[in-house]
Amino acid sequence: MTHARFTTLAVSGSYDHAEAARHLGSLSEPAHLATAQSFPSMEAMLAATAEDGDGWVYARRGNPTVRLLEQTVAALEGYRVDAEVSAALTATGMGAITLATMPLLSAAAGPKPNIVASPQCYGSTTMVFDKRYGEERDVDVRWVGDPLSVEDWAGLVDDGTRFLYAEVPSNPTVQLVDIPALAALARQARIPLIVDATLATPALLRPLALGADVVVHSLTKAAGASGRSMGGAVIARHGLGLRGQPEELSADYAGHLRRGSLRDMGAVLSPFNAWTILADIRELRGRVDTMSRTAHGVAEYLARHPGVVEVFYPGLESHRSHHIARRDMWLVDSELDGGEAENRFGFLVCFRPAGGVRAAHEVMDRLGLVWRANNLGQVRSTATIPGATTHKQAADADPARAPVPPDMVRLSIGIEHLDDIVGDLDQALRGR
């Protein structure tokens, strides 16, 4: 299936006719819900334990259903990437971020480690970097002043820098960074550029194709849009050639994590969750296309509304990183549909209603169709106030560096009709 189109890879992954024949012809991937495998002989057991065979031994070390999703995620994120790509799956998106970053911070790898990162990222990511790494492990966390300035990034990189980190687009301000330029900076320093591309999904943006080394995703979001399961993914190109890191880690980063850190620390993905996400991810392109087109319409409506003072959406010319979004965010394979390639800018729209925090709370309370919830990327549209919920910990820890305005409403647009979403927002903003 290596030459198949994106949607075909999403539907089929590595589950082909031969694989189905090994499972009594099941048209759907089987859910291997057992925690361990039985072996026909001691020789087979030893081979699997030594990872010389295809056995999975014990669910913490691997599972056939999890591996099917792993291969599918790697194929989608590695689509049209001129490199070998592999993936490791975790129980949550934050598990993926921790798995992707922690092994790079070994004290044995050289000078005191530091991280150079965009401050425009998810609140829990900020807490992991500042608290778990900075305060608890004495890692120097260097937040970039202006994530759009490559010079600002370069000025913070030195011999102790272990990786560059950015979220594209960011949650919730939907900012982008110049991935190719940061990738060149990372290559020069022989460190990885790690990109959280959860809000784009590989249907709209594949950072590996733009030069990034490692990509992380929360599969809980648009990949698992039914909202039934949590999961995370680390996807990396092979042959990174990292300074001060073990050769086996550079050779196959995700595989090394899967065989070492993930196995030992145990934050593995449940096979049941893998099975449900496999069902959701089949329709990723079409679903994200619909959600993005609707989100663009919502953003344009909000930008015209007299009761809204600011809108955050990369598809609007007023957005600070619109020029990068126009360059990098494309509906995958849209040029094959009989026309030119088409931009899509994602499903997250944020806005500030006139009247401050109190008005934002009142708008939230008047929502009818849109659900008040702290998740995003679902088939149902959801809304929250990040400064009081998803980013509250980060804001409380450092009020001077609050990541989002306290009156910002975050909308995650689902697959409902645009007219109905706009109608709900209109009545919520007008108060009737």
Side-chain angles (χ1 to χ4, degrees), residues 89-102 121-130 132-133 165 167 171 196 198 216-221 230-234 265 267 390 393:
L89 304 185
T90 59
T92 66
M94 287 310 304
I97 291 169
T98 305
L99 178 69
T101 56
M102 189 185 303
C121 58
Y122 180 48
S124 292
T125 305
T126 301
M127 296 303 291
V128 166
F129 288 0
D130 275 344
R132 306 289 83 82
Y133 292 166
Y165 186 93
E167 196 172 290
N171 174 15
D196 181 341
T198 295
V216 294
H217 282 285
S218 172
L219 300 178
T220 312
K221 308 303 190 291
M230 300 183 78
V234 179
M265 298 173 72
T390 60
Q393 275 186 304

Side-chain angles (χ1 to χ4, degrees), residues 48 81 89 126 130 146 168 179 183 210 246 291 321 336-337 381 416 431:
V81 173
L89 304 185
T126 301
D130 275 344
D146 179 4
V168 181
I179 293 176
L210 296 174
M291 293 160 66
S321 54
L336 303 178
D337 295 337
S381 294
E416 304 95 342

Side-chain angles (χ1 to χ4, degrees), residues 147-168:
L148 287 179
S149 168
V150 179
E151 290 75 19
D152 279 11
W153 287 83
L156 298 176
V157 175
D158 60 25
D159 289 344
T161 305
R162 301 300 176 82
F163 60 84
L164 308 183
Y165 186 93
E167 196 172 290
V168 181

Side-chain angles (χ1 to χ4, degrees), residues 191-209:
I191 56 176
L193 170 61
I194 304 175
V195 176
D196 181 341
T198 295
L199 292 189
T201 82
L204 303 186
L205 177 73
R206 290 172 305 289
L208 297 181

Side-chain angles (χ1 to χ4, degrees), residues 126-147:
T126 301
M127 296 303 291
V128 166
F129 288 0
D130 275 344
K131 299 296 182 181
R132 306 289 83 82
Y133 292 166
E135 293 186 9
E136 296 177 4
R137 296 172 180 240
D138 197 29
V139 173
D140 182 11
V141 182
R142 302 174 178 180
W143 298 105
V144 178
D146 179 4

